[in-house]
């Protein structure tokens, strides 16, 4: 872990989406120095699935030595951003650091992304980052620290990162393009950088995307907080960089990264948008049974499943069903399998005792999963992890 130095004592840090997750972790790291934290987020009442509000975050910040100003901010609302900036300047006398952390995600392809969801991602990710930056820049110019940090990836134009979730990639890259443009526009006045994790980070959003058990393949939010802190220690001349968390922490002398792992020793899930080092990532993905689509080689023919492999898999699943499994799951799954021995199959874990079969279930499915029969058999036999199947585009989910 990166030790605090006290450098941010008295600095005012404006963080969007700071009520939970990565935003709150960055806030707490700065607060330990005695920083003033502006919590610019939407959540004012407890959410049934997502922990934390702007007020609970404020309590945590003050408990570790910082000062907190919780502000109700939906970054889609320019007036709410302006009001929060004014309150921050009035209370703390200025703004020294802006962290554009608020983000919306939908890992859906073009035909499965509703216009409202596309608008949400563009409004929160790209437009929200732009507006928050615009509102803070006049005050950042007056600061001796003067940093803007966007939680966004390097601008990697490998088509694999557009293929499965084009809208999300465009919206997220909009944040990165703000870095590219503003770093040049305000060179010498404000340091503008991006920060992105090398591996998946365990947050409430990751739990929703990856499902149960995903945390063992993730790192803690602390690694992002430490990396952000390392950036804030840099001078204004450190600008226009697309920083990877692990890389900058290695520069800071961190050698053992097990402290950041949720479960040290487990294989970590590579994050999106990174293939600068395709060999290590490819090996890591292949070790779980997946075949990364960005690997540059001639496609090898996949072995066909044995005749009846899908039917046999469902038979094994059926034999393992019990009332306890049904009670714990309460879901109906529809599998749309392509290729030999494919078709539509269902797994009913709502009805008493559970049931599996070919065709449609008697009640509406809660989740629809689409994949090839080859990958289905691999996944249920433990040779392909569901998370890797999803991340690599082999498994598509509608819910």
């Amino acid at each position: 872990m990166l030790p605090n130095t006290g450098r941010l004592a008295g600095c005012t840090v404006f963080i969007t989406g700071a009520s939970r997750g990565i935003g709150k972790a960055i806030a707490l790291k700065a607060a330990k120095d005695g920083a003033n934290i502006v919590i610019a987020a939407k959540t004012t009442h407890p959410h049934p699935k997502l922990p934390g509000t702007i007020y609970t975050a404020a309590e945590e910040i003050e408990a570790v030595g910082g000062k907190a100003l919780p502000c109700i901010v939906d970054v889609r609302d320019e007036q709410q951003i302006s009001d929060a900036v004014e309150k921050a300047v009035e209370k703390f006398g200025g703004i020294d650091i802006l962290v554009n952390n608020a983000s919306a995600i939908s890992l859906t392809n073009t035909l499965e992304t509703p216009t409202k969801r596309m608008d949400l991602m563009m409004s929160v990710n790209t437009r929200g980052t732009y507006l928050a930056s615009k509102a803070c820049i006049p005050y950042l110019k007056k600061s001796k620290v003067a940093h803007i940090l966007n939680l966004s990836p390097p601008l990697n134009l490998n088509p694999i990162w557009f293929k499965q979730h084009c809208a999300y990639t465009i919206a997220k890259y909009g944040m990165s393009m703000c870095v590219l443009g503003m770093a040049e526009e305000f060179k010498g006045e404000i340091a503008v950088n991006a920060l992105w994790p090398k591996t998946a980070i365990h947050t409430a959003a990751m739990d929703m995307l990856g499902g149960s058990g995903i945390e063992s393949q993730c790192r803690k939010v602390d690694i992002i907080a430490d990396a952000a802190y390392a950036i804030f220690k840099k001078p204004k001349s450190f600008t226009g960089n697309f920083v990877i968390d692990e890389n900058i922490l290695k520069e800071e002398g961190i050698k053992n990264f097990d402290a950041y792992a949720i479960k040290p020793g487990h294989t970590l899930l590579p994050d999106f948008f990174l293939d600068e080092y395709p060999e290590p990532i490819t090996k890591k993905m292949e070790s779980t049974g997946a075949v990364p689509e960005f690997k540059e080689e001639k496609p090898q023919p996949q072995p066909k499943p044995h005749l009846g492999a899908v039917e046999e898999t469902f038979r094994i699943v059926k034999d393992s069903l019990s009332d306890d499994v049904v009670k714990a799951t309460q879901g109906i799954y529809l599998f749309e399998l392509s290729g030999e021995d494919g078709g539509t199959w269902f797994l009913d874990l709502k009805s008493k005792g559970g049931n599996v079969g070919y065709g449609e279930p008697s009640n509406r499915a809660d989740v629809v999963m689409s994949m090839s029969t080859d990958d289905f058999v691999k996944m249920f036999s433990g040779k392909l992890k569901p998370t890797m199947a999803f991340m690599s585009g082999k498994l598509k989910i509608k819910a």
Side-chain angles (χ1 to χ4, degrees):
M1 296 285 188
L2 192 67
N4 281 67
T5 63
R7 176 179 170 79
L8 300 184
C11 288
T12 298
V13 187
F14 190 106
I15 308 177
T16 65
S19 60
R20 63 176 67 92
I22 288 172
K24 189 179 77 171
I26 294 173
L28 291 171
K29 182 70 176 180
K32 289 174 183 176
D33 268 7
N36 310 314
I37 309 297
V38 184
I39 308 159
K42 293 191 305 177
T43 309
T44 56
H45 300 287
H47 189 281
K49 294 183 179 180
L50 301 173
T53 69
I54 58 174
Y55 306 114
T56 58
E59 291 172 0
E60 291 182 54
I61 286 164
E62 293 182 344
V64 297
K67 294 180 181 178
L69 176 63
C71 295
I72 302 171
V73 176
D74 181 338
V75 294
R76 294 173 292 179
D77 189 323
E78 186 174 13
Q79 190 60 53
Q80 288 186 10
I81 294 173
S82 298
D83 290 346
V85 169
E86 287 182 16
K87 289 177 183 176
V89 173
E90 182 180 345
K91 184 175 178 70
F92 299 126
I95 295 174
D96 300 290
I97 296 171
L98 166 65
V99 179
N100 286 305
N101 167 69
S103 190
I105 183 171
S106 179
L107 298 176
T108 48
N109 63 33
T110 301
L111 297 180
E112 294 172 349
T113 305
T115 302
K116 283 187 177 180
R117 189 61 58 84
M118 169 67 171
D119 289 342
L120 173 68
M121 289 189 286
M122 290 298 294
S123 296
V124 172
N125 300 2
T126 302
R127 185 174 179 271
T129 293
Y130 186 90
L131 292 180
S133 301
K134 183 180 178 183
C136 290
I137 282 170
Y139 303 101
L140 290 168
K141 280 186 169 187
K142 301 174 184 178
S143 170
K144 293 180 179 179
V145 180
H147 273 271
I148 294 176
L149 181 64
N150 295 353
L151 273 294
S152 63
L155 289 165
N156 184 351
L157 298 183
N158 188 331
I160 183 61
W161 304 118
F162 293 82
K163 178 183 177 183
Q164 300 295 343
H165 38 76
C166 186
Y168 172 64
T169 299
I170 292 170
K172 206 65 187 172
Y173 278 16
M175 297 175 71
S176 300
M177 293 174 78
C178 285
V179 170
L180 202 63
M182 293 179 188
E184 194 67 23
E185 184 176 357
F186 301 105
K187 185 176 288 186
E189 297 179 287
I190 304 169
V192 187
N193 296 287
L195 174 61
W196 194 246
K198 184 174 182 178
T199 71
I201 302 297
H202 185 228
T203 62
M206 180 56 73
D207 277 338
M208 294 173 70
L209 289 170
S212 177
I214 187 67
E215 68 275 3
S216 64
Q217 300 172 71
C218 298
R219 282 175 171 163
K220 302 171 187 174
V221 291
D222 298 340
I223 191 169
I224 295 292
D226 281 3
Y229 188 80
I231 292 171
F232 299 152
K233 294 195 300 178
K234 301 282 188 182
K236 294 178 185 180
S237 57
F238 184 82
T239 191
N241 300 287
F242 292 89
V243 179
I244 303 303
D245 57 356
E246 185 175 305
N247 295 350
I248 194 167
L249 290 175
K250 284 181 178 178
E251 293 174 8
E252 292 286 326
I254 302 295
K255 296 179 180 178
N256 184 0
F257 287 85
D258 282 349
Y260 295 114
I262 298 291
K263 293 187 178 180
H266 280 249
T267 300
L268 295 170
L269 195 63
D271 206 353
F272 286 99
F273 307 117
L274 300 180
D275 58 8
E276 302 101 313
Y277 309 101
E279 286 307 311
I281 293 176
T282 298
K283 288 177 182 177
K284 196 170 286 186
M285 292 176 77
E286 286 177 337
S287 70
T288 65
V291 179
E293 294 186 39
F294 57 72
K295 187 175 182 182
E296 295 182 2
E297 61 176 28
K298 294 181 180 180
Q300 299 295 320
Q302 295 293 319
K304 294 183 179 180
H306 299 297
L307 186 62
V310 171
E311 185 176 0
E312 176 63 13
T313 300
F314 276 108
R315 185 194 66 75
I316 294 170
V317 170
K318 186 174 183 178
D319 289 344
S320 67
L321 295 181
S322 68
D323 287 335
D324 288 340
V325 172
V326 171
K327 185 178 180 180
T329 309
Q330 287 296 296
I332 299 176
Y333 302 88
L334 186 69
F335 297 88
E336 296 177 343
L337 305 179
S338 59
E340 187 178 345
D341 199 27
T344 301
W345 296 76
F346 70 87
L347 172 58
D348 182 351
L349 295 178
K350 269 188 178 177
S351 303
K352 183 174 176 59
N355 193 22
V356 301
Y358 185 82
E360 300 280 342
S362 55
N363 295 313
R364 185 171 178 269
D366 300 297
V367 179
V368 179
M369 300 186 183
S370 303
M371 63 193 313
S372 71
T373 53
D374 291 333
D375 292 328
F376 172 83
V377 173
K378 285 181 183 177
M379 191 170 77
F380 272 83
S381 62
K383 295 178 180 178
L384 172 61
K385 290 186 178 181
T387 304
M388 291 307 306
F390 177 73
M391 297 283 270
S392 61
K394 294 177 180 296
L395 169 63
K396 296 180 181 178
I397 301 175
K398 296 180 187 176

